[in-house]
């Protein structure tokens, strides 16, 4: 087993690990907001004012400020905010549980959605990973006349960076009245879509019958789960999702951090432009090295086909370049062979990316 990385500074494109300053290509801090000064200061200010916890039935302005920012970001009537992104699929699906009868789930869907399913009391059937034809076949086999299916999937799969073929899924669902498409978009919100609203916006599928659950802990650099929607969805969640009654919200400081991160992204659009540039740079560079890399706007890039990935990782580390090797099947959607997973950030400089690509070319 590889020893854990000893981090000594906030996540970032350039950070301190084990006493050394390194280029960092792991994790999910796509805009490096986890260590942004405005985000840190907002968290500290709110913590000094409100303390560490919200108490029972607390009403604090910091949560209202975050709600306003979230509604503006997602362009929805309401955004339900909760303690953790991991719980957001459960909150969404429990809220909608009276609106569907049977579940169809992508076989590689994340644990957070799978942990929600036993709370729903609905029959469940899997379809092959990212395969709309098999989804159509499973719908035909398992959805009876008058039943309303819910199709569950990640929007962006966390190990491979694969985009779910959401438009094709919707086409397969067209014959089923009331069919719902529900996605865990933890790696899509903030990154994908014209204004960063995620995979549904990217696929042109925002609207009735399509729902997402997301997180503030990745692109947004804070903490908490989010479910955007209209007032009717928020009311269903309040009525059906017990976590909204039984769990405290995120600490006030982290709610303030989330609001600050949204403000930073809204006032510095160059961050999203830089991320797009860097994703293209890495993907095109890896293709030049001979790797099969899909042309997508996702900041998770995986490489396979290298004989000894651990040796490559270790030799890159000797050059102060930190990357991650995933074992075969080591995570929810991890491929069946070991892979090198690169996470691209907006704050990586073109020179850093050139150094990564040149180092890989020399070491392979």
């Amino acid at each position: 087993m590889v020893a854990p990385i000893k981090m000594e500074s906030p996540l970032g494109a350039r950070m301190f690990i084990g006493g050394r300053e390194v280029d960092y290509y792991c994790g999910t801090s796509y805009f490096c907001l986890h260590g942004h000064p405005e985000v840190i200061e907002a968290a500290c200010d709110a913590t000094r004012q409100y303390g560490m916890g919200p108490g029972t039935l607390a009403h604090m302005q910091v949560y209202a400020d975050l709600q306003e920012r979230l509604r503006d970001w997602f362009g929805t009537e309401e955004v339900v905010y909760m303690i953790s992104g991991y719980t957001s699929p459960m909150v969404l699906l429990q809220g909608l549980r009276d609106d569907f009868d049977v579940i169809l789930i992508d076989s590689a869907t994340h644990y957070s959605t799978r942990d929600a399913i036993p709370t729903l009391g609905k029959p469940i059937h899997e379809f092959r990973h990212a395969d709309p034809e098999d989804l159509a076949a499973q719908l035909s086999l398992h959805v009876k006349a008058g039943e309303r299916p819910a199709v569950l999937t990640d929007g962006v799969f966390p190990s491979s960076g694969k985009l779910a073929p959401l438009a094709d899924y919707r086409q397969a669902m067209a014959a089923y009245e009331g069919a719902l498409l529900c996605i865990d978009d933890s790696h899509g919100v903030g990154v994908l879509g014209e204004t960063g609203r995620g995979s549904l916006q990217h696929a042109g599928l925002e609207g009735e019958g399509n729902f997402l659950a997301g997180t503030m802990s990745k692109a947004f650099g804070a903490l908490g789960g989010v479910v955007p929607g209209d007032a009717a969805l928020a009311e269903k969640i309040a009525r059906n999702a017990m976590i909204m009654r039984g769990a405290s919200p995120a600490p006030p400081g982290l709610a303030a951090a989330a609001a600050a991160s949204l403000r930073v992204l809204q006032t510095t659009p160059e961050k999203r432009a830089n991320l797009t540039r860097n994703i293209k740079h890495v993907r095109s560079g890896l293709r030049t090295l001979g790797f099969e890399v899909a042309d997508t706007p996702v900041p998770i890039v995986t490489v396979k086909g290298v004989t000894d990935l651990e040796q490559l990782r270790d030799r890159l580390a000797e050059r102060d370049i930190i990357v991650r090797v995933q074992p075969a099947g080591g995570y929810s959607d991890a491929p069946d062979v070991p892979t090198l997973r690169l996470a691209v950030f907006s704050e990586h400089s073109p020179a850093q990316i050139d150094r990564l690509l040149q180092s890989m070319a020399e070491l392979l």
Side-chain angles (χ1 to χ4, degrees), residues 33-172:
L33 292 171
H34 290 81
H36 193 284
E38 291 183 38
V39 175
I40 298 297
E41 191 60 30
C44 292
D45 287 347
T47 301
R48 281 188 286 265
Q49 180 174 356
Y50 297 110
M52 294 300 297
T56 303
L57 301 177
H59 295 279
M60 295 178 176
Q61 185 61 38
V62 65
Y63 297 107
D65 293 343
L66 175 57
Q67 285 290 337
E68 182 178 355
R69 287 279 178 187
L70 286 169
R71 288 193 294 267
D72 184 51
W73 182 274
F74 286 103
T76 53
E77 193 175 11
E78 298 288 347
V79 180
V80 178
Y81 177 67
M82 69 224 63
I83 182 65
S84 166
Y86 194 94
T87 65
S88 61
M90 181 180 292
V91 168
L92 171 62
L93 294 169
Q94 288 182 351
L96 292 170
R97 69 185 180 195
D98 296 329
D99 295 348
F100 62 91
D101 305 296
V102 59
I103 294 168
L104 283 297
I105 186 170
D106 184 298
S107 61
T109 298
H110 192 264
Y111 315 122
S112 56
T113 299
R114 292 187 175 277
D115 281 353
I117 288 171
T119 73
L120 304 173
K122 309 284 184 176
I124 174 174
H125 306 280
E126 286 195 356
F127 60 92
R128 285 193 297 269
H129 178 41
D131 188 337
E133 291 185 2
D134 194 52
L135 170 59
Q138 297 303 320
L139 285 164
S140 179
L141 280 172
H142 299 296
V143 181
K144 300 173 185 176
E147 287 187 332
R148 302 158 300 173
V151 174
L152 314 184
T153 180
D154 293 6
V156 177
F157 288 88
S159 292
S160 65
K162 182 181 293 185
L163 272 168
L166 300 179
D168 294 334
Y169 288 173
R170 253 299 158 197
Q171 187 173 355

Side-chain angles (χ1 to χ4, degrees), residues 4-51:
I5 290 174
K6 184 181 179 182
M7 294 184 176
E8 297 163 335
S9 66
L11 291 170
R14 190 78 176 156
M15 60 180 294
F16 283 93
I17 292 176
R20 297 152 50 206
E21 191 173 12
V22 299
D23 293 347
Y24 187 67
Y25 291 93
C26 307
T28 59
S29 190
Y30 303 125
F31 298 106
C32 299
L33 292 171
H34 290 81
H36 193 284
E38 291 183 38
V39 175
I40 298 297
E41 191 60 30
C44 292
D45 287 347
T47 301
R48 281 188 286 265
Q49 180 174 356
Y50 297 110

